[in-house]
Amino acid sequence: MNNLTQHAQIRSQQRGISPYIMELVLDYGSCKRSHGADVYYLDKRDRHALKRDLGRKGYSRVEDQLNIYVVADTCVITVAHRTK
C-alpha cells in the first residue's frame, strides 16, 4: 500500500474504508488528474476486470465497498465515498 498521510489515515477510519479496498481502487481504478493530484475510482470496465480477477464470490464480498475515490500523489492524501 502506498504511504498514507495522517489526514488519509484519519479519514479512512472515520469513513470506514479499509486499506484493502483502497489498494484495490489504486490497482484497478481509472485515474483522473485534478488540482495537482491523481484521483482514482472504479468505473464499469475497472469493476469488470476486478470481478474477473477476484472471482464472483470474492467480488461479491467487496462490491458494496467499492464506491470510493482515492486522492494520491506520492502518497495517499485522502479517501472518501463517491456520491455521483
Side-chain angles (χ1 to χ4, degrees):
M1 152 93 6
N2 291 350
N3 293 329
L4 275 74
T5 62
Q6 185 176 5
H7 176 79
Q9 290 174 352
I10 293 167
R11 291 295 181 252
S12 65
Q13 283 183 327
Q14 288 174 336
R15 295 170 178 160
I17 300 171
S18 74
Y20 176 67
I21 299 300
M22 284 189 278
E23 190 70 34
L24 290 176
V25 171
L26 288 170
D27 290 345
Y28 286 89
S30 296
C31 179
K32 190 179 218 181
R33 192 84 176 156
S34 179
H35 301 284
D38 295 323
V39 180
Y40 295 87
Y41 59 93
L42 294 171
D43 62 17
K44 190 174 187 177
R45 183 178 37 143
D46 301 329
R47 288 173 186 261
H48 181 71
L50 182 59
K51 187 175 186 177
R52 181 188 64 232
D53 291 350
L54 291 180
R56 185 180 303 180
K57 195 172 187 177
Y59 181 79
S60 68
R61 289 184 184 138
V62 298
E63 182 177 16
D64 61 337
Q65 302 170 51
L66 296 175
N67 203 23
I68 67 165
Y69 65 90
V70 179
V71 179
D73 194 19
T74 56
C75 60
V76 174
I77 299 168
T78 194
V79 296
H81 295 279
R82 291 182 72 189
T83 57
K84 290 185 179 183

